[in-house]
PDB file of all heavy atoms in Angstrom:
ATOM      1  N   LYS P   1     155.318  58.169 110.093  1.00 81.00           N
ATOM      2  CA  LYS P   1     156.717  58.328 110.512  1.00 81.00           C
ATOM      3  C   LYS P   1     157.083  59.781 110.787  1.00 81.00           C
ATOM      4  O   LYS P   1     158.263  60.126 110.848  1.00 81.00           O
ATOM      5  CB  LYS P   1     157.681  57.724 109.479  1.00 81.00           C
ATOM      6  CG  LYS P   1     157.441  56.248 109.222  1.00 81.00           C
ATOM      7  CD  LYS P   1     158.334  55.709 108.131  1.00 81.00           C
ATOM      8  CE  LYS P   1     157.989  54.259 107.814  1.00 81.00           C
ATOM      9  NZ  LYS P   1     158.787  53.724 106.694  1.00 81.00           N
ATOM     10  N   LYS P   2     156.069  60.605 111.007  1.00 82.00           N
ATOM     11  CA  LYS P   2     156.304  62.017 111.283  1.00 82.00           C
ATOM     12  C   LYS P   2     155.576  62.492 112.531  1.00 82.00           C
ATOM     13  O   LYS P   2     156.117  63.247 113.323  1.00 82.00           O
ATOM     14  CB  LYS P   2     155.856  62.870 110.085  1.00 82.00           C
ATOM     15  CG  LYS P   2     156.634  62.628 108.802  1.00 82.00           C
ATOM     16  CD  LYS P   2     156.080  63.479 107.669  1.00 82.00           C
ATOM     17  CE  LYS P   2     156.832  63.218 106.369  1.00 82.00           C
ATOM     18  NZ  LYS P   2     156.279  64.024 105.243  1.00 82.00           N
ATOM     19  N   THR P   3     154.335  62.044 112.696  1.00 85.00           N
ATOM     20  CA  THR P   3     153.491  62.539 113.780  1.00 85.00           C
ATOM     21  C   THR P   3     153.834  61.836 115.088  1.00 85.00           C
ATOM     22  O   THR P   3     153.759  60.607 115.185  1.00 85.00           O
ATOM     23  CB  THR P   3     152.003  62.313 113.455  1.00 85.00           C
ATOM     24  OG1 THR P   3     151.719  62.883 112.176  1.00 85.00           O
ATOM     25  CG2 THR P   3     151.127  62.941 114.518  1.00 85.00           C
ATOM     26  N   ARG P   4     154.219  62.599 116.095  1.00 85.00           N
ATOM     27  CA  ARG P   4     154.543  62.038 117.404  1.00 85.00           C
ATOM     28  C   ARG P   4     153.256  61.652 118.125  1.00 85.00           C
ATOM     29  O   ARG P   4     152.382  62.494 118.336  1.00 85.00           O
ATOM     30  CB  ARG P   4     155.339  63.067 118.219  1.00 85.00           C
ATOM     31  CG  ARG P   4     155.778  62.592 119.603  1.00 85.00           C
ATOM     32  CD  ARG P   4     156.866  61.543 119.519  1.00 85.00           C
ATOM     33  NE  ARG P   4     157.328  61.148 120.828  1.00 85.00           N
ATOM     34  CZ  ARG P   4     158.387  61.676 121.444  1.00 85.00           C
ATOM     35  NH1 ARG P   4     159.086  62.622 120.853  1.00 85.00           N
ATOM     36  NH2 ARG P   4     158.752  61.251 122.635  1.00 85.00           N
ATOM     37  N   ILE P   5     153.112  60.395 118.506  1.00 85.00           N
ATOM     38  CA  ILE P   5     151.895  59.943 119.188  1.00 85.00           C
ATOM     39  C   ILE P   5     152.176  59.398 120.589  1.00 85.00           C
ATOM     40  O   ILE P   5     151.246  59.148 121.347  1.00 85.00           O
ATOM     41  CB  ILE P   5     151.155  58.865 118.362  1.00 85.00           C
ATOM     42  CG1 ILE P   5     152.058  57.662 118.091  1.00 85.00           C
ATOM     43  CG2 ILE P   5     150.612  59.452 117.079  1.00 85.00           C
ATOM     44  CD1 ILE P   5     151.344  56.490 117.451  1.00 85.00           C
ATOM     45  N   ILE P   6     153.438  59.187 120.923  1.00 89.00           N
ATOM     46  CA  ILE P   6     153.799  58.690 122.256  1.00 89.00           C
ATOM     47  C   ILE P   6     154.860  59.620 122.834  1.00 89.00           C
ATOM     48  O   ILE P   6     155.857  59.933 122.177  1.00 89.00           O
ATOM     49  CB  ILE P   6     154.340  57.253 122.202  1.00 89.00           C
ATOM     50  CG1 ILE P   6     153.277  56.307 121.637  1.00 89.00           C
ATOM     51  CG2 ILE P   6     154.780  56.778 123.594  1.00 89.00           C
ATOM     52  CD1 ILE P   6     153.761  54.882 121.433  1.00 89.00           C
ATOM     53  N   GLY P   7     154.649  60.060 124.060  1.00 91.00           N
ATOM     54  CA  GLY P   7     155.604  60.958 124.711  1.00 91.00           C
ATOM     55  C   GLY P   7     155.484  60.824 126.214  1.00 91.00           C
ATOM     56  O   GLY P   7     155.492  59.725 126.752  1.00 91.00           O
ATOM     57  N   GLY P   8     155.320  61.935 126.881  1.00 95.00           N
ATOM     58  CA  GLY P   8     155.045  61.923 128.314  1.00 95.00           C
ATOM     59  C   GLY P   8     156.049  61.127 129.131  1.00 95.00           C
ATOM     60  O   GLY P   8     157.265  61.314 129.025  1.00 95.00           O
ATOM     61  N   LEU P   9     155.542  60.206 129.949  1.00 97.00           N
ATOM     62  CA  LEU P   9     156.404  59.429 130.838  1.00 97.00           C
ATOM     63  C   LEU P   9     157.275  58.445 130.070  1.00 97.00           C
ATOM     64  O   LEU P   9     158.355  58.068 130.545  1.00 97.00           O
ATOM     65  CB  LEU P   9     155.555  58.703 131.873  1.00 97.00           C
ATOM     66  CG  LEU P   9     154.923  59.620 132.925  1.00 97.00           C
ATOM     67  CD1 LEU P   9     153.869  58.887 133.731  1.00 97.00           C
ATOM     68  CD2 LEU P   9     155.991  60.193 133.850  1.00 97.00           C
ATOM     69  N   THR P  10     156.824  58.014 128.883  1.00 95.00           N
ATOM     70  CA  THR P  10     157.686  57.173 128.057  1.00 95.00           C
ATOM     71  C   THR P  10     158.952  57.937 127.699  1.00 95.00           C
ATOM     72  O   THR P  10     160.061  57.415 127.825  1.00 95.00           O
ATOM     73  CB  THR P  10     156.950  56.743 126.774  1.00 95.00           C
ATOM     74  OG1 THR P  10     155.794  55.977 127.127  1.00 95.00           O
ATOM     75  CG2 THR P  10     157.854  55.913 125.874  1.00 95.00           C
ATOM     76  N   GLN P  11     158.799  59.179 127.258  1.00 94.00           N
ATOM     77  CA  GLN P  11     159.973  59.987 126.930  1.00 94.00           C
ATOM     78  C   GLN P  11     160.796  60.285 128.170  1.00 94.00           C
ATOM     79  O   GLN P  11     162.035  60.306 128.122  1.00 94.00           O
ATOM     80  CB  GLN P  11     159.546  61.290 126.257  1.00 94.00           C
ATOM     81  CG  GLN P  11     160.710  62.115 125.736  1.00 94.00           C
ATOM     82  CD  GLN P  11     161.508  61.383 124.671  1.00 94.00           C
ATOM     83  OE1 GLN P  11     160.945  60.941 123.675  1.00 94.00           O
ATOM     84  NE2 GLN P  11     162.813  61.234 124.897  1.00 94.00           N
ATOM     85  N   GLU P  12     160.131  60.504 129.299  1.00 96.00           N
ATOM     86  CA  GLU P  12     160.874  60.798 130.529  1.00 96.00           C
ATOM     87  C   GLU P  12     161.784  59.645 130.925  1.00 96.00           C
ATOM     88  O   GLU P  12     162.951  59.850 131.280  1.00 96.00           O
ATOM     89  CB  GLU P  12     159.910  61.111 131.673  1.00 96.00           C
ATOM     90  CG  GLU P  12     160.631  61.404 132.990  1.00 96.00           C
ATOM     91  CD  GLU P  12     159.700  61.765 134.127  1.00 96.00           C
ATOM     92  OE1 GLU P  12     158.614  62.324 133.858  1.00 96.00           O
ATOM     93  OE2 GLU P  12     160.072  61.488 135.295  1.00 96.00           O
ATOM     94  N   ILE P  13     161.282  58.425 130.845  1.00 96.00           N
ATOM     95  CA  ILE P  13     162.134  57.301 131.251  1.00 96.00           C
ATOM     96  C   ILE P  13     163.236  57.057 130.222  1.00 96.00           C
ATOM     97  O   ILE P  13     164.350  56.638 130.572  1.00 96.00           O
ATOM     98  CB  ILE P  13     161.303  56.033 131.519  1.00 96.00           C
ATOM     99  CG1 ILE P  13     162.103  55.061 132.396  1.00 96.00           C
ATOM    100  CG2 ILE P  13     160.862  55.354 130.222  1.00 96.00           C
ATOM    101  CD1 ILE P  13     161.295  53.953 132.993  1.00 96.00           C
ATOM    102  N   ILE P  14     162.958  57.345 128.944  1.00 95.00           N
ATOM    103  CA  ILE P  14     164.010  57.277 127.928  1.00 95.00           C
ATOM    104  C   ILE P  14     165.123  58.263 128.289  1.00 95.00           C
ATOM    105  O   ILE P  14     166.316  57.929 128.255  1.00 95.00           O
ATOM    106  CB  ILE P  14     163.435  57.569 126.533  1.00 95.00           C
ATOM    107  CG1 ILE P  14     162.582  56.385 126.052  1.00 95.00           C
ATOM    108  CG2 ILE P  14     164.544  57.864 125.524  1.00 95.00           C
ATOM    109  CD1 ILE P  14     161.808  56.657 124.776  1.00 95.00           C
ATOM    110  N   ASP P  15     164.746  59.488 128.653  1.00 95.00           N
ATOM    111  CA  ASP P  15     165.738  60.503 129.014  1.00 95.00           C
ATOM    112  C   ASP P  15     166.503  60.106 130.274  1.00 95.00           C
ATOM    113  O   ASP P  15     167.722  60.316 130.365  1.00 95.00           O
ATOM    114  CB  ASP P  15     165.047  61.854 129.224  1.00 95.00           C
ATOM    115  CG  ASP P  15     164.429  62.404 127.943  1.00 95.00           C
ATOM    116  OD1 ASP P  15     164.852  61.977 126.853  1.00 95.00           O
ATOM    117  OD2 ASP P  15     163.519  63.257 128.041  1.00 95.00           O
ATOM    118  N   ARG P  16     165.817  59.525 131.236  1.00 97.00           N
ATOM    119  CA  ARG P  16     166.477  59.124 132.488  1.00 97.00           C
ATOM    120  C   ARG P  16     167.480  57.999 132.234  1.00 97.00           C
ATOM    121  O   ARG P  16     168.589  57.997 132.792  1.00 97.00           O
ATOM    122  CB  ARG P  16     165.422  58.696 133.514  1.00 97.00           C
ATOM    123  CG  ARG P  16     164.572  59.840 134.020  1.00 97.00           C
ATOM    124  CD  ARG P  16     163.392  59.355 134.842  1.00 97.00           C
ATOM    125  NE  ARG P  16     163.815  58.807 136.129  1.00 97.00           N
ATOM    126  CZ  ARG P  16     163.384  59.225 137.311  1.00 97.00           C
ATOM    127  NH1 ARG P  16     162.527  60.238 137.380  1.00 97.00           N
ATOM    128  NH2 ARG P  16     163.785  58.660 138.428  1.00 97.00           N
ATOM    129  N   LEU P  17     167.109  57.033 131.408  1.00 96.00           N
ATOM    130  CA  LEU P  17     168.026  55.942 131.099  1.00 96.00           C
ATOM    131  C   LEU P  17     169.207  56.430 130.258  1.00 96.00           C
ATOM    132  O   LEU P  17     170.320  55.913 130.380  1.00 96.00           O
ATOM    133  CB  LEU P  17     167.288  54.825 130.375  1.00 96.00           C
ATOM    134  CG  LEU P  17     166.284  54.034 131.212  1.00 96.00           C
ATOM    135  CD1 LEU P  17     165.496  53.066 130.331  1.00 96.00           C
ATOM    136  CD2 LEU P  17     166.980  53.265 132.334  1.00 96.00           C
ATOM    137  N   ASP P  18     168.961  57.420 129.414  1.00 94.00           N
ATOM    138  CA  ASP P  18     170.041  57.965 128.590  1.00 94.00           C
ATOM    139  C   ASP P  18     171.135  58.572 129.451  1.00 94.00           C
ATOM    140  O   ASP P  18     172.329  58.478 129.124  1.00 94.00           O
ATOM    141  CB  ASP P  18     169.467  59.008 127.630  1.00 94.00           C
ATOM    142  CG  ASP P  18     170.490  59.485 126.618  1.00 94.00           C
ATOM    143  OD1 ASP P  18     171.181  58.640 126.012  1.00 94.00           O
ATOM    144  OD2 ASP P  18     170.615  60.715 126.429  1.00 94.00           O
ATOM    145  N   LYS P  19     170.774  59.171 130.572  1.00 95.00           N
ATOM    146  CA  LYS P  19     171.774  59.756 131.482  1.00 95.00           C
ATOM    147  C   LYS P  19     172.657  58.683 132.115  1.00 95.00           C
ATOM    148  O   LYS P  19     173.751  58.978 132.597  1.00 95.00           O
ATOM    149  CB  LYS P  19     171.071  60.559 132.573  1.00 95.00           C
ATOM    150  CG  LYS P  19     170.364  61.806 132.057  1.00 95.00           C
ATOM    151  CD  LYS P  19     169.640  62.531 133.179  1.00 95.00           C
ATOM    152  CE  LYS P  19     168.922  63.767 132.645  1.00 95.00           C
ATOM    153  NZ  LYS P  19     168.164  64.469 133.715  1.00 95.00           N
ATOM    154  N   ARG P  20     172.201  57.443 132.110  1.00 94.00           N
ATOM    155  CA  ARG P  20     172.962  56.333 132.694  1.00 94.00           C
ATOM    156  C   ARG P  20     173.611  55.470 131.615  1.00 94.00           C
ATOM    157  O   ARG P  20     174.102  54.377 131.893  1.00 94.00           O
ATOM    158  CB  ARG P  20     172.044  55.470 133.569  1.00 94.00           C
ATOM    159  CG  ARG P  20     171.361  56.261 134.680  1.00 94.00           C
ATOM    160  CD  ARG P  20     170.499  55.379 135.562  1.00 94.00           C
ATOM    161  NE  ARG P  20     169.783  56.161 136.542  1.00 94.00           N
ATOM    162  CZ  ARG P  20     170.299  56.614 137.688  1.00 94.00           C
ATOM    163  NH1 ARG P  20     171.560  56.336 137.992  1.00 94.00           N
ATOM    164  NH2 ARG P  20     169.572  57.324 138.536  1.00 94.00           N
ATOM    165  N   ASN P  21     173.583  55.958 130.361  1.00 93.00           N
ATOM    166  CA  ASN P  21     174.130  55.192 129.224  1.00 93.00           C
ATOM    167  C   ASN P  21     173.499  53.806 129.144  1.00 93.00           C
ATOM    168  O   ASN P  21     174.157  52.818 128.839  1.00 93.00           O
ATOM    169  CB  ASN P  21     175.650  55.073 129.319  1.00 93.00           C
ATOM    170  CG  ASN P  21     176.342  56.419 129.229  1.00 93.00           C
ATOM    171  OD1 ASN P  21     175.972  57.258 128.412  1.00 93.00           O
ATOM    172  ND2 ASN P  21     177.329  56.635 130.087  1.00 93.00           N
ATOM    173  N   ALA P  22     172.191  53.753 129.455  1.00 94.00           N
ATOM    174  CA  ALA P  22     171.482  52.474 129.520  1.00 94.00           C
ATOM    175  C   ALA P  22     170.452  52.345 128.416  1.00 94.00           C
ATOM    176  O   ALA P  22     169.555  51.502 128.502  1.00 94.00           O
ATOM    177  CB  ALA P  22     170.812  52.321 130.883  1.00 94.00           C
ATOM    178  N   ILE P  23     170.581  53.151 127.362  1.00 93.00           N
ATOM    179  CA  ILE P  23     169.598  53.101 126.283  1.00 93.00           C
ATOM    180  C   ILE P  23     170.255  53.536 124.981  1.00 93.00           C
ATOM    181  O   ILE P  23     171.190  54.361 124.986  1.00 93.00           O
ATOM    182  CB  ILE P  23     168.380  53.988 126.620  1.00 93.00           C
ATOM    183  CG1 ILE P  23     167.158  53.591 125.786  1.00 93.00           C
ATOM    184  CG2 ILE P  23     168.702  55.470 126.476  1.00 93.00           C
ATOM    185  CD1 ILE P  23     165.851  54.128 126.316  1.00 93.00           C
ATOM    186  N   ILE P  24     169.818  52.947 123.895  1.00 90.00           N
ATOM    187  CA  ILE P  24     170.277  53.331 122.558  1.00 90.00           C
ATOM    188  C   ILE P  24     169.051  53.773 121.775  1.00 90.00           C
ATOM    189  O   ILE P  24     168.085  53.009 121.637  1.00 90.00           O
ATOM    190  CB  ILE P  24     170.973  52.163 121.834  1.00 90.00           C
ATOM    191  CG1 ILE P  24     172.204  51.701 122.618  1.00 90.00           C
ATOM    192  CG2 ILE P  24     171.365  52.576 120.416  1.00 90.00           C
ATOM    193  CD1 ILE P  24     172.807  50.415 122.077  1.00 90.00           C
ATOM    194  N   CYS P  25     169.075  55.002 121.255  1.00 88.00           N
ATOM    195  CA  CYS P  25     167.957  55.537 120.486  1.00 88.00           C
ATOM    196  C   CYS P  25     168.271  55.460 118.997  1.00 88.00           C
ATOM    197  O   CYS P  25     169.365  55.864 118.569  1.00 88.00           O
ATOM    198  CB  CYS P  25     167.669  56.980 120.884  1.00 88.00           C
ATOM    199  SG  CYS P  25     167.105  57.171 122.587  1.00 88.00           S
ATOM    200  N   GLU P  26     167.336  54.969 118.234  1.00 82.00           N
ATOM    201  CA  GLU P  26     167.499  54.847 116.790  1.00 82.00           C
ATOM    202  C   GLU P  26     167.213  56.189 116.123  1.00 82.00           C
ATOM    203  O   GLU P  26     166.223  56.851 116.452  1.00 82.00           O
ATOM    204  CB  GLU P  26     166.533  53.774 116.259  1.00 82.00           C
ATOM    205  CG  GLU P  26     166.556  53.589 114.767  1.00 82.00           C
ATOM    206  CD  GLU P  26     167.915  53.201 114.237  1.00 82.00           C
ATOM    207  OE1 GLU P  26     168.425  52.129 114.625  1.00 82.00           O
ATOM    208  OE2 GLU P  26     168.478  53.997 113.451  1.00 82.00           O
ATOM    209  N   THR P  27     168.083  56.617 115.230  1.00 77.00           N
ATOM    210  CA  THR P  27     167.906  57.898 114.545  1.00 77.00           C
ATOM    211  C   THR P  27     167.219  57.752 113.189  1.00 77.00           C
ATOM    212  O   THR P  27     166.716  58.727 112.640  1.00 77.00           O
ATOM    213  CB  THR P  27     169.260  58.590 114.343  1.00 77.00           C
ATOM    214  OG1 THR P  27     170.134  57.711 113.603  1.00 77.00           O
ATOM    215  CG2 THR P  27     169.900  58.917 115.687  1.00 77.00           C
ATOM    216  N   ASP P  28     167.176  56.544 112.643  1.00 76.00           N
ATOM    217  CA  ASP P  28     166.558  56.307 111.348  1.00 76.00           C
ATOM    218  C   ASP P  28     165.040  56.267 111.504  1.00 76.00           C
ATOM    219  O   ASP P  28     164.505  55.402 112.205  1.00 76.00           O
ATOM    220  CB  ASP P  28     167.059  54.983 110.763  1.00 76.00           C
ATOM    221  CG  ASP P  28     166.460  54.672 109.402  1.00 76.00           C
ATOM    222  OD1 ASP P  28     165.672  55.499 108.893  1.00 76.00           O
ATOM    223  OD2 ASP P  28     166.777  53.603 108.849  1.00 76.00           O
ATOM    224  N   PRO P  29     164.298  57.192 110.878  1.00 65.00           N
ATOM    225  CA  PRO P  29     162.835  57.204 111.051  1.00 65.00           C
ATOM    226  C   PRO P  29     162.147  55.970 110.476  1.00 65.00           C
ATOM    227  O   PRO P  29     160.989  55.695 110.795  1.00 65.00           O
ATOM    228  CB  PRO P  29     162.405  58.469 110.295  1.00 65.00           C
ATOM    229  CG  PRO P  29     163.505  58.713 109.312  1.00 65.00           C
ATOM    230  CD  PRO P  29     164.767  58.249 109.982  1.00 65.00           C
ATOM    231  N   ASN P  30     162.855  55.216 109.626  1.00 69.00           N
ATOM    232  CA  ASN P  30     162.273  54.000 109.054  1.00 69.00           C
ATOM    233  C   ASN P  30     162.456  52.784 109.958  1.00 69.00           C
ATOM    234  O   ASN P  30     161.922  51.716 109.671  1.00 69.00           O
ATOM    235  CB  ASN P  30     162.895  53.713 107.687  1.00 69.00           C
ATOM    236  CG  ASN P  30     162.543  54.783 106.666  1.00 69.00           C
ATOM    237  OD1 ASN P  30     161.384  55.120 106.512  1.00 69.00           O
ATOM    238  ND2 ASN P  30     163.537  55.319 105.996  1.00 69.00           N
ATOM    239  N   ALA P  31     163.232  52.931 111.018  1.00 70.00           N
ATOM    240  CA  ALA P  31     163.496  51.802 111.911  1.00 70.00           C
ATOM    241  C   ALA P  31     162.226  51.440 112.678  1.00 70.00           C
ATOM    242  O   ALA P  31     161.479  52.311 113.125  1.00 70.00           O
ATOM    243  CB  ALA P  31     164.620  52.131 112.885  1.00 70.00           C
ATOM    244  N   VAL P  32     161.984  50.139 112.828  1.00 67.00           N
ATOM    245  CA  VAL P  32     160.818  49.691 113.587  1.00 67.00           C
ATOM    246  C   VAL P  32     161.058  49.861 115.081  1.00 67.00           C
ATOM    247  O   VAL P  32     160.215  50.355 115.819  1.00 67.00           O
ATOM    248  CB  VAL P  32     160.503  48.214 113.259  1.00 67.00           C
ATOM    249  CG1 VAL P  32     159.389  47.696 114.159  1.00 67.00           C
ATOM    250  CG2 VAL P  32     160.104  48.071 111.796  1.00 67.00           C
ATOM    251  N   ARG P  33     162.256  49.467 115.535  1.00 68.00           N
ATOM    252  CA  ARG P  33     162.590  49.605 116.951  1.00 68.00           C
ATOM    253  C   ARG P  33     163.212  50.972 117.190  1.00 68.00           C
ATOM    254  O   ARG P  33     164.227  51.315 116.594  1.00 68.00           O
ATOM    255  CB  ARG P  33     163.552  48.496 117.373  1.00 68.00           C
ATOM    256  CG  ARG P  33     162.874  47.158 117.587  1.00 68.00           C
ATOM    257  CD  ARG P  33     163.864  46.052 117.819  1.00 68.00           C
ATOM    258  NE  ARG P  33     164.564  45.702 116.589  1.00 68.00           N
ATOM    259  CZ  ARG P  33     165.436  44.714 116.480  1.00 68.00           C
ATOM    260  NH1 ARG P  33     165.723  43.985 117.516  1.00 68.00           N
ATOM    261  NH2 ARG P  33     166.022  44.446 115.346  1.00 68.00           N
ATOM    262  N   TYR P  34     162.615  51.734 118.084  1.00 85.00           N
ATOM    263  CA  TYR P  34     163.113  53.088 118.327  1.00 85.00           C
ATOM    264  C   TYR P  34     164.200  53.097 119.394  1.00 85.00           C
ATOM    265  O   TYR P  34     165.204  53.762 119.255  1.00 85.00           O
ATOM    266  CB  TYR P  34     161.964  54.005 118.730  1.00 85.00           C
ATOM    267  CG  TYR P  34     162.437  55.390 119.104  1.00 85.00           C
ATOM    268  CD1 TYR P  34     163.006  56.223 118.141  1.00 85.00           C
ATOM    269  CD2 TYR P  34     162.341  55.858 120.410  1.00 85.00           C
ATOM    270  CE1 TYR P  34     163.462  57.482 118.481  1.00 85.00           C
ATOM    271  CE2 TYR P  34     162.783  57.119 120.751  1.00 85.00           C
ATOM    272  CZ  TYR P  34     163.341  57.932 119.781  1.00 85.00           C
ATOM    273  OH  TYR P  34     163.805  59.175 120.127  1.00 85.00           O
ATOM    274  N   VAL P  35     163.982  52.351 120.485  1.00 91.00           N
ATOM    275  CA  VAL P  35     164.976  52.315 121.553  1.00 91.00           C
ATOM    276  C   VAL P  35     165.262  50.877 121.965  1.00 91.00           C
ATOM    277  O   VAL P  35     164.391  50.008 121.913  1.00 91.00           O
ATOM    278  CB  VAL P  35     164.530  53.117 122.804  1.00 91.00           C
ATOM    279  CG1 VAL P  35     164.415  54.592 122.488  1.00 91.00           C
ATOM    280  CG2 VAL P  35     163.219  52.589 123.353  1.00 91.00           C
ATOM    281  N   THR P  36     166.509  50.647 122.340  1.00 93.00           N
ATOM    282  CA  THR P  36     166.918  49.395 122.974  1.00 93.00           C
ATOM    283  C   THR P  36     167.498  49.771 124.326  1.00 93.00           C
ATOM    284  O   THR P  36     168.365  50.643 124.408  1.00 93.00           O
ATOM    285  CB  THR P  36     167.969  48.665 122.128  1.00 93.00           C
ATOM    286  OG1 THR P  36     167.458  48.478 120.808  1.00 93.00           O
ATOM    287  CG2 THR P  36     168.304  47.313 122.734  1.00 93.00           C
ATOM    288  N   PHE P  37     167.032  49.116 125.396  1.00 94.00           N
ATOM    289  CA  PHE P  37     167.419  49.556 126.732  1.00 94.00           C
ATOM    290  C   PHE P  37     167.910  48.386 127.579  1.00 94.00           C
ATOM    291  O   PHE P  37     167.645  47.215 127.294  1.00 94.00           O
ATOM    292  CB  PHE P  37     166.251  50.257 127.443  1.00 94.00           C
ATOM    293  CG  PHE P  37     164.955  49.493 127.412  1.00 94.00           C
ATOM    294  CD1 PHE P  37     164.696  48.479 128.314  1.00 94.00           C
ATOM    295  CD2 PHE P  37     163.987  49.793 126.459  1.00 94.00           C
ATOM    296  CE1 PHE P  37     163.509  47.771 128.279  1.00 94.00           C
ATOM    297  CE2 PHE P  37     162.792  49.090 126.412  1.00 94.00           C
ATOM    298  CZ  PHE P  37     162.551  48.079 127.328  1.00 94.00           C
ATOM    299  N   ASN P  38     168.631  48.736 128.631  1.00 94.00           N
ATOM    300  CA  ASN P  38     169.091  47.782 129.630  1.00 94.00           C
ATOM    301  C   ASN P  38     167.910  47.493 130.567  1.00 94.00           C
ATOM    302  O   ASN P  38     167.454  48.377 131.293  1.00 94.00           O
ATOM    303  CB  ASN P  38     170.279  48.382 130.400  1.00 94.00           C
ATOM    304  CG  ASN P  38     170.857  47.446 131.432  1.00 94.00           C
ATOM    305  OD1 ASN P  38     170.134  46.904 132.259  1.00 94.00           O
ATOM    306  ND2 ASN P  38     172.161  47.278 131.413  1.00 94.00           N
TER     307      ASN P  38
END
């Protein structure tokens, strides 16, 4: 729950959807689901 293993284009599309208010990012590191998207 500390070491980042996924980034790159996954993070890019998360950022792009965030600009459209089309994604919810989980802030709790214990959460299983990190993002919920349209």
Side-chain angles (χ1 to χ4, degrees):
K1 302 176 185 176
K2 296 178 181 179
T3 307
R4 182 71 177 265
I5 58 172
I6 299 175
L9 289 168
T10 299
Q11 187 62 55
E12 179 178 331
I13 200 166
I14 288 172
D15 295 339
R16 291 170 70 124
L17 290 173
D18 188 47
K19 293 178 181 178
R20 303 182 184 280
N21 296 318
I23 200 164
I24 299 171
C25 295
E26 177 59 62
T27 57
D28 180 1
N30 294 310
V32 174
R33 282 172 287 184
Y34 175 66
V35 295
T36 305
F37 50 82
N38 182 309

